[in-house]
Amino acid sequence: MEKVKIVIAGPRGRMGKEAVNLVLSTESYELVGVVDRKFDGLTVGELDGFPESKALIYTDFEKCLQEVEPDVLIDLTTPEVGMFHTKTALKYKIRPVVGTTGFSKEDLEELEQLCAEHETGCIIAPNFAVGAVLMMKFSQMAARYFNDVEIIELHHDQKLDAPSGTAVKTAQMISDVREPKKQGHPDEKETIQGARGADYEGMHIHSVRLPGLIAHQQVLFGADGQTLTIRHDSYNRSSFMSGVKLAVDTVMKMDTFVYGLENIIE
Ligand SMILES: NC(=O)c1ccc[n+]([C@@H]2O[C@H](COP(=O)([O-])OP(=O)(O)OC[C@H]3O[C@@H](n4cnc5c(N)ncnc54)[C@H](O)[C@@H]3O)[C@@H](O)[C@H]2O)c1
Ligand SMILES: O=C(O)C1=N[C@H](C(=O)O)CCC1
């Protein structure tokens, strides 16, 4: 069986390192290159703390795609860089699996259109942890019965985007089934700006950033005399890797755009 040839962008990042280990330890995958801001021309194996690998490091993304001709790009960078990488990969008909968060609604629409234009599969997954995907699905289920909901997402303090991609996706999934409602007292006023968090169609999203955290979210529903809390916690980044593998294996079999792992998990 031919191996899936993979390029990883952001290999020295917190998620990138895990992804490099996943690809190098998976029999059916071949790491053919990585894209970094530094160390052009070195091999991955020459980087401190990385396992033996002859995969070349590129600082020029397009040069990397042209030289190593991967099947799949795994992007774990920043929103601006991730957007550029994903668009470029689609133009080369290379299938992106994107964990990078912070894309706008317009960004996602543009990527969906590019995907269709180039008939190339693409998976954008705000959260690769299976438990987090279930949390989102359960929250959508609960929102049919509870109209009032607040999302609290908690992440490490090095995170760039707020609210998290998972919180935005959760709010979108809930809003697909929830009766539109502006929550809280109609006359409520913030005496300190931001006290009620971000407003997504009347639901509130609160972002906590603290050292010691990895990735956590709770979705709180309230109704007369009762509350329901649905919570997920990732305690390490290897919790995301089975989802990355599922996404890589699935993207190889499709030529459409998928936003969210819930669309490919049975
Ligand atoms: N989908 C998920 O399940 C999931 C899980 C964790 C993190 N994330 C997201 O993944 C992204 C990365 O998270 P992280 O914690 O690993 O961040 P990080 O800051 O540790 O890593 C990002 C890496 O991208 C690299 N980078 C920046 N610009 C680059 C460029 N032009 N070319 C190549 N590399 C470049 C940086 O050098 C850095 O090593 C974030 O958007 C985060 O929100 C998603
Ligand atoms: O560490 C991060 O950054 C994470 N980001 C994702 C998000 O924005 O939802 C998911 C989990 C970790």
Side-chain angles (χ1 to χ4, degrees):
M1 197 184 72
E2 272 200 26
K3 294 191 180 209
V4 181
K5 295 198 287 173
I6 299 176
V7 158
I8 296 175
R12 285 180 305 117
R14 288 174 287 263
M15 279 291 279
K17 279 187 196 127
E18 292 285 344
V20 166
N21 286 326
L22 169 77
V23 172
L24 290 177
S25 62
T26 303
E27 186 76 4
S28 53
Y29 296 167
E30 183 185 356
L31 185 66
V32 290
V34 299
V35 183
D36 202 324
R37 289 188 296 188
K38 296 201 276 191
F39 303 119
D40 192 49
L42 293 188
T43 64
V44 168
E46 285 173 294
L47 293 175
D48 274 352
F50 279 77
E52 175 50 34
S53 164
K54 295 267 180 300
L56 271 185
I57 303 172
Y58 291 83
T59 51
D60 183 327
F61 183 64
E62 283 204 62
K63 184 173 169 208
C64 172
L65 299 190
Q66 287 162 0
E67 287 194 8
V68 304
E69 299 183 345
D71 302 302
V72 173
L73 160 74
I74 300 177
D75 191 89
L76 297 159
T77 59
T78 62
E80 295 73 24
V81 174
M83 189 63 191
F84 166 69
H85 285 171
T86 310
K87 289 199 300 189
T88 311
L90 286 170
K91 286 177 191 157
Y92 281 87
K93 286 184 158 286
I94 290 155
R95 298 153 197 266
V97 166
V98 182
T100 305
T101 54
F103 295 149
S104 66
K105 189 166 167 279
E106 292 71 30
D107 289 339
L108 293 170
E109 283 166 4
E110 187 180 350
L111 294 178
E112 182 163 16
Q113 202 178 320
L114 267 179
C115 235
E117 225 172 90
H118 296 279
E119 295 175 342
T120 301
C122 172
I123 296 178
I124 313 274
N127 202 314
F128 286 115
V130 173
V133 177
L134 290 175
M135 168 194 59
M136 291 184 252
K137 285 182 83 140
F138 295 157
S139 300
Q140 188 181 47
M141 212 185 279
R144 288 187 186 278
Y145 306 93
F146 290 85
N147 232 358
D148 288 80
V149 49
E150 305 236 349
I151 299 170
I152 306 178
E153 56 95 341
L154 310 91
H155 282 83
H156 59 91
D157 65 350
Q158 297 307 299
K159 185 162 179 58
L160 295 178
D161 54 317
S164 70
T166 309
V168 175
K169 185 73 163 102
T170 309
Q172 286 168 352
M173 287 171 67
I174 289 174
S175 80
D176 286 346
V177 299
R178 170 184 177 266
E179 288 294 316
K181 175 168 185 186
K182 173 150 180 30
Q183 290 178 201
H185 194 286
D187 297 332
E188 75 179 10
K189 278 200 181 61
E190 291 181 334
T191 53
I192 299 179
Q193 200 191 345
R196 292 286 288 123
D199 183 328
Y200 186 97
E201 296 183 1
M203 282 176 252
H204 292 261
I205 306 178
H206 310 270
S207 297
V208 177
R209 297 290 176 263
L210 284 173
L213 293 173
I214 302 270
H216 318 260
Q217 177 169 295
Q218 66 188 51
V219 186
L220 288 100
F221 296 90
D224 186 25
Q226 58 179 320
T227 62
L228 169 67
T229 304
I230 302 172
R231 179 172 172 119
H232 175 261
D233 299 272
S234 269
Y235 297 109
N236 61 34
R237 292 182 176 84
S238 62
S239 65
F240 301 114
M241 292 304 126
S242 59
V244 174
K245 183 166 187 309
L246 174 73
V248 169
D249 294 343
T250 308
V251 84
M252 285 300 291
K253 297 180 215 143
M254 49 177 256
D255 56 10
T256 52
F257 179 79
V258 164
Y259 171 46
L261 277 202
E262 70 282 1
N263 297 300
I264 61 168
I265 284 176
E266 290 298 307

